Amino acid sequence: MRYSKIAGVGHYVPERVVTNDDLSKLMDTNNEWIIERTGIRERRFIDSKKDTVANMAAKATHMALERANLKVEDIDFIVLATITPDYFFPGSGVLLQRELGLESIGALDIRNACSGFIYALSTADQFIKTGMYKNILVIGAEIQSTALDLTTRGRGTAVIFGDGAGAVVLQPSEKPGILSSHLHSDGRYAEELYVKDPGSSRPHEERQPEQILDTSTFKVHMNGNMVFKHAVVRFHEVIMEALDANNLTKDDIDLLIPHQANLRISNYIQQKLGLPEEKLYNNIMRYGNTTAGSIPIAMSEAWGEGKIKDDDLICMAAFGSGFTWASSLIKW
Ligand code: UT7
């Protein structure tokens, strides 16, 4: 049986640090509220003259390739997860392919928000298992800062998001590797966390940009309470689903890397599973919620800090817009 394994992991975050105090100059919020409700102390926002989804993804890729001892030319397919692409179309996968100077390899974009990286990894896993590709670049990259309402009206959402990118290279392996992935969605809740425009759902007579008088529909809308309540249930459920599918228990987990949505959500899951604190990896304090970027950025930092070792069992789980939620178990 052919499996896939992660050969290298890397990340990139923009240089510009935005603290809670910086945000409190733009809106009615404060450091204490943000830390107490989210755990976030600072996040990175892009420099719009320098950073794009594609070039942040390229920087994360170079780190992953170096750690995997591979060259750019070794990559034979790209799967890029983002809900904040550089253009409405084409997707940022092709822009990354161009940025890397790769000539004509395929590039697939995945739009599953906070669960995007696990959806992307699972998709790449299938291509490796069938023998179609040998070195797949899997990326989660996001620029949320430009879609946030950075005024008091948007404070419930604006304080949690940040920008950044993470990348892994997936390769065939004789032994796992990725043990399994579990992907879910429930579109009944699509409008609880979404950006409406530029969408194609408007009636024909409202389609022209100059006819849209209320531009708040171009910003992130989130019903935070509702998302939170679903997240804590689904995170636990999908982690247990992964463990059960592999006849494992929570005691077998060496490191849980949850999507960095809110420190309170991560801590709740850790406590519900009864995992010791050192088996949970969090970096939301420094980067906020970087949507599809959050899991690979966290994985890259954890690996860099020596918290992921060969043969460790790594559990990843995510929940977000859609709603979508997902988990994946990896024997490193
Ligand atoms: O990654 C995708 C998935 N996303 C998530 O998982 C996010 C899930 N949701 C959350 O993390 C939380 O719901 C938030 C952090 C977004 C909000 O925290 P909360 O504890 O649910 O706060 P709330 O929305 O219930 O608001 C509580 C109070 C309100 O004031 P009143 O009505 O009690 O007087 C808000 O107006 O806090 C107020 N508030 C703020 N105050 C200061 C909301 N945002 C802010 C703010 N600064 N930034």
Side-chain angles (χ1 to χ4, degrees):
M1 170 112 181
R2 185 197 295 257
Y3 295 97
S4 21
K5 65 160 196 219
I6 292 179
V9 52
H11 71 282
Y12 171 80
V13 289
E15 282 162 25
R16 189 176 149 214
V17 176
V18 177
T19 64
N20 294 341
D21 286 339
D22 291 334
L23 291 183
S24 67
K25 290 178 192 128
L26 303 172
M27 62 187 81
D28 180 14
T29 189
N30 58 76
N31 186 40
E32 293 69 34
W33 190 97
I34 301 173
I35 291 179
E36 190 194 313
R37 301 290 176 127
T38 72
I40 300 165
R41 291 173 182 273
E42 58 189 40
R43 72 286 293 141
R44 303 296 178 98
F45 281 3
I46 57 153
D47 172 345
S48 56
K49 293 198 190 71
K50 215 162 70 179
D51 302 302
T52 66
V53 163
N55 73 25
M56 291 198 307
K59 287 176 184 158
T61 298
H62 288 301
M63 186 193 274
L65 287 171
E66 198 184 317
R67 286 171 167 181
N69 235 337
L70 292 169
K71 296 192 288 296
V72 169
E73 308 79 74
D74 295 322
I75 299 167
D76 51 8
F77 194 63
I78 293 171
V79 187
L80 172 71
T82 186
I83 46 163
T84 53
D86 298 290
Y87 300 133
F88 186 59
F89 74 87
S92 289
V94 299
L95 303 180
L96 174 60
Q97 173 260 327
R98 179 174 74 185
E99 187 96 20
L100 293 173
L102 287 164
E103 265 181 22
S104 60
I105 63 163
L108 171 68
D109 280 56
I110 300 259
R111 288 173 45 87
N112 289 75
C114 303
S115 313
F117 179 75
I118 299 181
Y119 269 77
L121 193 70
S122 171
T123 304
D125 183 31
Q126 313 311 313
F127 283 127
I128 296 277
K129 281 181 176 149
T130 60
M132 191 158 168
Y133 298 115
K134 290 200 170 51
N135 286 304
I136 305 183
L137 189 56
V138 185
I139 312 264
E142 219 77 70
I143 294 178
Q144 288 291 2
S145 56
T146 50
L148 298 174
D149 178 356
L150 293 168
T151 68
T152 298
R153 184 175 61 170
R155 67 180 180 171
T157 303
V159 298
I160 73 167
F161 289 102
D163 305 336
V168 303
V169 184
L170 209 62
Q171 277 184 342
S173 157
E174 293 292 305
K175 54 178 190 139
I178 297 179
L179 295 172
S180 66
S181 298
H182 306 269
L183 312 177
H184 296 282
S185 69
D186 189 344
R188 285 178 298 169
Y189 301 100
E191 287 80 15
E192 302 301 337
L193 173 48
Y194 82 134
V195 176
K196 182 181 167 87
D197 284 308
S200 55
S201 66
R202 285 181 178 276
H204 185 70
E205 56 282 10
E206 286 178 24
R207 289 277 175 93
Q208 298 309 314
E210 61 274 16
Q211 292 167 317
I212 301 173
L213 300 177
D214 176 9
T215 52
S216 66
T217 53
F218 287 82
K219 303 288 181 194
V220 179
H221 162 84
M222 177 171 73
N223 180 349
N225 282 166
M226 161 88 96
V227 177
F228 193 104
K229 284 181 191 137
H230 284 256
V232 288
V233 173
R234 295 304 195 185
F235 262 108
H236 182 260
E237 196 177 276
V238 81
I239 291 168
M240 292 313 295
E241 183 184 4
L243 292 171
D244 289 347
N246 292 283
N247 288 321
L248 295 167
T249 73
K250 48 112 178 152
D251 296 326
D252 296 306
I253 297 176
D254 291 300
L255 194 65
L256 173 64
I257 305 180
H259 161 55
Q260 303 291 292
N262 183 320
L263 196 60
R264 281 158 57 212
I265 295 179
S266 296
N267 290 341
Y268 176 86
I269 306 159
Q270 175 221 334
Q271 280 155 22
K272 186 143 189 213
L273 287 169
L275 278 187
E277 224 172 280
E278 62 275 14
K279 289 194 173 186
L280 174 74
Y281 192 84
N282 281 310
N283 60 6
I284 192 169
M285 307 71 92
R286 296 192 298 281
Y287 304 132
N289 175 346
T290 56
T291 318
S294 94
I295 289 179
I297 294 171
M299 187 190 286
S300 173
E301 287 205 330
W303 189 88
E305 291 164 19
K307 292 189 171 144
I308 300 179
K309 294 177 287 306
D310 285 354
D311 289 328
D312 275 357
L313 184 73
I314 310 300
C315 179
M316 296 176 280
F319 178 89
S321 170
F323 293 148
T324 60
W325 61 103
S327 65
S328 191
L329 274 180
I330 302 185
K331 195 90 180 148
W332 199 267

